[in-house]
Amino acid sequence: MSTIDQTIAAAPSGAQSRRGSDYAELLNRVREAGLLDRRPTYYLVMIAVNAALVAAGWTAFVLVGDSWWQLVTAAYLAVVFTHSGFLGHDAGHRQIFRSRRANHRVGLVYGNLAIGLAFGWWVDKHHRHHAHPNHEGLDPDISGEALAFTGAQARRRRGAGRLLARHQRLLFFPMLLLEAVSLHVASVRALSRSTYRERGREALLLGLHAAAYLTAVVVVLSPLRALAFVVVQQGLFGLYLGCAFAPNHKGMPILKADEDVDFLRRQVLTSRNVRGNRMTDFLLGGLNHQIEHHLFPNMPRAALRHARPIVRAFCREHDLPYVETGLLDSYRQALRHLHRVGRSAPQSADSVSPVVRRT
């Protein structure tokens, strides 16, 4: 058993703790520090800068014309798309404005219109993840559809799925190149359901994004260069998104379906922070403060760094492991976990490796 697992095993469970009281105490400390106050000026500046960067990218695209230099533009737009996604993420958590409607409208612009993601579908999925991070059977992000996150998921694999699981450590980053395409496909599937809320408006915005994006590429570039542009831009977009989300929970403990853990411990024990400076905050969209983000999902991004010492001190007072590491080490931990789980997938129908519960 690892050091962190020993600490987690010793931590009070939900049934043992005074349910809600510890979190209420932490919440009061954070609120008294003013860290839950909205920061509209900060976000208006961020939105304006993002709009300028988007405009600069597409202007450069038109000016460069039919040239292989457009692959540089594609890489640039992949970065801009990702940061547009970060703003959509913040809107989905109502970090920008107090008004639900205002946040929702911003989310539709950045999700459906800017990057081609069905905002309503993503919000529902992401909020379910926040409610039960790394909780088997409840967290949609560890459902095991692509990667195997538990030994049981790996052992259930057959055929190509089993082969993928056994080599998922090596395939993880290459698979991220398909993440953007996967999100587009999932968005279209979600919008095809007649029960989807605001289906018409979201479908219209998504269609406008696809039409504008593809029209620009086809009109400006030759077929071969157009294909190369889309592959590079969408591939790097997905890779960047995946690299921003990968350090947060992968390799952290996975709660079994019947485990009873209170909100505070559920969020802290399953999340990992990435140490760094303000550049790290910028590159990862503030998601490097994952513990604070999960404890206070509607906290403005700019306040997360200031909440960190408060949360860390509180965890120390209550003997809770506060896990943080460097960016590269976070990837090593995630890959190590995927490797251990993947190796539990049987090499053949008659060969079954031991179950790996946690790293």
Side-chain angles (χ1 to χ4, degrees):
M1 180 182 287
S2 67
T3 303
I4 185 173
D5 281 332
Q6 294 172 9
T7 308
I8 289 169
S13 68
Q16 294 170 327
S17 65
R18 296 172 298 159
R19 247 182 224 282
S21 60
D22 289 341
Y23 179 72
E25 180 185 348
L26 175 59
L27 179 62
N28 286 335
R29 294 187 191 182
V30 168
R31 182 178 287 126
E32 289 173 1
L35 298 177
L36 293 177
D37 297 342
R38 293 296 178 272
R39 301 194 178 190
T41 302
Y42 166 82
Y43 274 110
L44 288 174
V45 171
M46 292 284 288
I47 289 171
V49 170
N50 181 264
L53 293 174
V54 171
W58 286 113
T59 300
F61 176 81
V62 173
L63 293 177
V64 171
D66 190 17
S67 165
W68 286 110
W69 284 105
Q70 290 288 18
L71 298 185
V72 176
T73 311
Y76 169 85
L77 285 172
V79 173
V80 173
F81 269 41
T82 303
H83 283 269
S84 296
F86 290 155
L87 284 170
H89 168 270
D90 292 0
H93 283 295
R94 304 183 191 176
Q95 295 176 14
I96 301 176
F97 305 110
R98 289 199 176 276
S99 165
R100 176 189 176 280
R101 179 176 295 180
N103 281 301
H104 187 69
R105 286 175 176 172
V106 171
L108 289 176
V109 169
Y110 279 106
N112 296 65
L113 189 59
I115 64 175
L117 174 72
F119 183 67
W121 162 78
W122 176 83
V123 166
D124 175 70
K125 176 178 179 290
H126 192 62
H127 284 189
R128 283 187 284 125
H129 156 71
H130 264 263
H132 301 282
N134 270 21
H135 203 147
E136 196 172 1
L138 297 174
D139 182 359
D141 287 358
I142 61 166
S143 62
E145 293 180 6
L147 299 171
F149 292 96
T150 67
Q153 289 177 353
R155 294 196 311 276
R156 285 196 296 267
R157 296 289 184 92
R158 294 292 181 270
R162 176 190 300 168
L163 184 65
L164 188 154
R166 288 191 60 80
H167 300 284
Q168 62 184 5
R169 177 184 63 172
L170 299 176
L171 294 173
F172 176 68
F173 286 110
M175 287 174 66
L176 289 182
L177 294 169
L178 299 174
E179 179 65 16
V181 175
S182 175
L183 291 173
H184 297 324
V185 171
S187 295
V188 172
R189 286 179 176 172
L191 287 168
S192 68
R193 298 196 301 264
S194 59
T195 56
Y196 191 98
R197 187 179 179 183
E198 296 188 356
R199 179 188 183 192
R201 178 161 65 169
E202 288 212 34
L204 174 62
L205 292 173
L206 198 71
L208 287 174
H209 165 83
Y213 182 94
L214 294 175
T215 298
V217 170
V218 170
V219 168
V220 173
L221 302 177
S222 64
L224 181 60
R225 286 174 180 146
L227 177 61
F229 177 90
V230 172
V231 169
V232 171
Q233 198 273 326
Q234 291 292 309
L236 293 182
F237 172 35
L239 179 65
Y240 190 177
L241 270 182
C243 287
F245 283 94
N248 304 339
H249 304 283
K250 290 177 177 61
M252 295 302 291
I254 293 178
L255 304 175
K256 287 196 168 295
D258 58 351
E259 287 191 75
D260 180 24
V261 184
D262 69 293
F263 178 81
L264 171 67
R265 289 160 180 80
R266 182 164 67 246
Q267 304 300 334
V268 173
L269 299 180
T270 61
S271 302
R272 175 198 295 114
N273 276 10
V274 174
R275 286 191 296 266
N277 50 30
R278 293 186 185 278
M279 179 56 69
T280 309
D281 292 357
F282 171 75
L283 291 175
L284 298 181
L287 297 175
N288 47 310
H289 303 290
Q290 191 68 193
I291 296 173
E292 289 73 27
H293 173 56
H294 261 258
L295 288 170
F296 311 103
N298 63 345
M299 178 180 287
R301 188 194 310 181
L304 293 170
R305 168 172 290 275
H306 303 289
R308 177 174 167 267
I310 298 175
V311 173
R312 185 173 56 181
F314 185 87
C315 288
R316 188 179 299 117
E317 293 171 17
H318 291 76
D319 296 321
L320 282 172
Y322 183 93
V323 179
E324 56 181 355
T325 186
L327 180 60
L328 293 180
D329 188 54
S330 72
Y331 293 136
R332 279 193 290 267
Q333 291 182 33
L335 293 175
R336 189 181 306 126
H337 172 74
L338 293 176
H339 176 65
R340 289 175 180 172
V341 169
R343 298 305 291 179
S344 69
Q347 296 186 46
S348 66
D350 302 322
S351 174
V352 179
S353 302
V355 178
V356 178
R357 274 194 68 199
R358 295 173 175 170
T359 59

